Amino acid sequence: MPASSSEALRSAVKPPDPPSPLAALLAQSRPLVMGIVNVTDDSFSGDGLKGDAAAAIARARAQVEAGADLVDLGAESTRPGAAPVPFQQEIQRLLPVIEALKREAPQVPISVDTRNAATMRAVAVSGAHLINDISALRGEGSLEAAVRSRLPVVLMHMQGEPGSMQQAPQYEDVVREVRDHLAARIAACRAAGIPRHRILLDPGIGFGKTVAHNLSLLRRLDALGALGYPLLVGVSRKSFIGAIAREPEAARRLPGSLAAALWSAQHGAKILRVHDVAETVQALAVWREISDPADAGKTQ
Ligand code: 7PM
């Protein structure tokens, strides 16, 4: 059979997607809280991996208990200025954490923050629910890996590369350029076979942006929401908050992080990516009770 007709046959008999715990969450009207879990490498801890996985699992467990709707696992390959982590090592760090979470908290969707196609393939097989790619699937083989995984994807805007993007970020019109870039990435994903309902967008706060650029994007979050996809926003502890608050220590930026999270929720963010889950859940509960008293109690 020629390749094209066997392809057509395969897609004609493709089984429907299994129900996704993420889809059910996204259907709710309230904003969701995504807890950030770093799966770091502690090479001095003797038997390394075991201890690291245990720490990440404990962190994820605590976030779920604090009310996280989903968790985002990252092996630090995407952090601005960070040395790239080889994908084999990234996979080795992520898999034990994914497996443990699926066992212990099967209702909690697992997102994986990665730019590597091989990592996308591996985590999809081990049961992750969402691919969070700060390069919006521009890496070699990523688009195809995402299509084949049949997982939803977060397309984030980034100008430049993590190592150098903060050196001199420049835009004529940051809101227009971020929106156009995301629209182009949506088009690439749709053309490659990712259905609309599997796409989420993210302005990429802090990724190749000055304080002023970040503020413009948050002010005009509605313009990105107008593209018609759920928005994920990550402001937690970021350096624009440090600049405004004159707080060099990231761990002391919770008040500013909550202010920016609530602003984002008010302006259409569907998922808030945060370090401080319990605090964000409380802030959102109060905000929501005030802004929508008829609805607020229902989802708790
Ligand atoms: C240093 C600077 C360390 C920045 C870590 C970071 C986002 C993300 C990150 C985001 C999505 C952090 C960032 N930020 N993925 N990954 N959106 N989708 O604050 O804003 O965790 S890394």
Side-chain angles (χ1 to χ4, degrees):
M1 198 185 291
S4 59
S5 56
S6 77
E7 191 68 40
L9 184 62
R10 220 175 9 250
S11 64
V13 297
K14 211 157 48 181
D17 288 346
S20 153
L22 179 61
L25 277 174
L26 287 171
Q28 298 190 24
S29 63
R30 70 189 173 92
L32 307 174
V33 175
M34 169 190 265
I36 301 168
V37 177
N38 290 320
V39 185
T40 50
D41 178 29
D42 182 2
S43 47
F44 298 108
S45 76
D47 77 327
L49 183 72
K50 213 163 166 234
D52 301 336
I57 293 160
R59 180 111 191 99
R61 197 185 289 130
Q63 291 189 339
V64 170
E65 276 162 23
D69 295 295
L70 62 167
V71 294
D72 187 40
L73 307 181
E76 292 212 326
S77 63
T78 61
R79 301 299 179 257
V85 175
F87 70 84
Q88 296 93 334
Q89 201 181 334
E90 195 184 26
I91 293 169
Q92 265 180 36
R93 291 184 194 175
L94 290 166
L95 290 198
V97 183
I98 294 173
E99 281 157 18
L101 277 175
K102 288 194 66 85
R103 241 187 350 261
E104 290 183 32
Q107 79 288 3
V108 178
I110 300 166
S111 160
V112 177
D113 191 339
T114 185
R115 288 192 290 164
N116 289 319
T119 305
M120 292 173 193
R121 285 191 287 271
V123 303
V125 169
S126 73
H129 301 89
L130 175 65
I131 294 170
N132 175 24
D133 181 359
I134 63 160
S135 72
L137 304 177
R138 286 177 292 159
E140 167 123 43
S142 295
L143 198 49
E144 205 200 351
V147 173
R148 285 174 180 256
S149 76
R150 304 179 82 198
L151 292 179
V153 295
V154 177
L155 305 177
M156 196 194 81
H157 175 274
M158 170 169 62
Q159 184 182 82
E161 289 294 315
S164 55
M165 66 191 178
Q166 288 306 105
Q167 278 164 22
Q170 266 174 19
Y171 301 85
E172 250 175 48
D173 176 340
V174 66
V175 175
R176 178 173 54 76
E177 287 172 58
V178 168
R179 187 197 55 207
D180 290 354
H181 172 90
L182 291 175
R185 296 311 302 152
I186 293 165
C189 289
R190 301 281 293 111
I194 299 179
R196 285 189 64 88
H197 70 269
R198 269 184 226 148
I199 296 175
L200 296 91
L201 303 179
D202 185 331
I205 298 300
F207 286 83
K209 284 135 191 137
T210 63
V211 173
H213 294 142
N214 291 319
L215 295 175
S216 296
L217 286 166
L218 289 171
R219 257 176 229 132
R220 295 298 323 283
L221 213 51
D222 62 314
L224 302 179
L227 289 169
Y229 296 82
L231 292 182
L232 188 155
V233 177
V235 290
S236 184
R237 302 184 183 180
K238 283 196 174 164
S239 64
F240 80 99
I241 295 170
I244 294 166
R246 299 200 180 87
E247 178 50 75
E249 208 180 311
R252 294 173 49 86
R253 296 176 186 158
L254 174 61
S257 300
L258 293 177
L262 292 182
W263 168 276
S264 302
Q266 180 101 43
H267 293 86
K270 185 70 205 174
I271 302 181
L272 302 168
R273 182 180 176 277
V274 309
H275 298 88
D276 303 285
V277 171
E279 292 82 354
T280 306
V281 166
Q282 184 182 103
L284 279 172
V286 173
W287 163 76
R288 204 167 133 70
E289 196 73 44
I290 297 166
S291 58
D292 195 358
D295 248 28
K298 286 188 199 160
T299 52
Q300 286 167 24

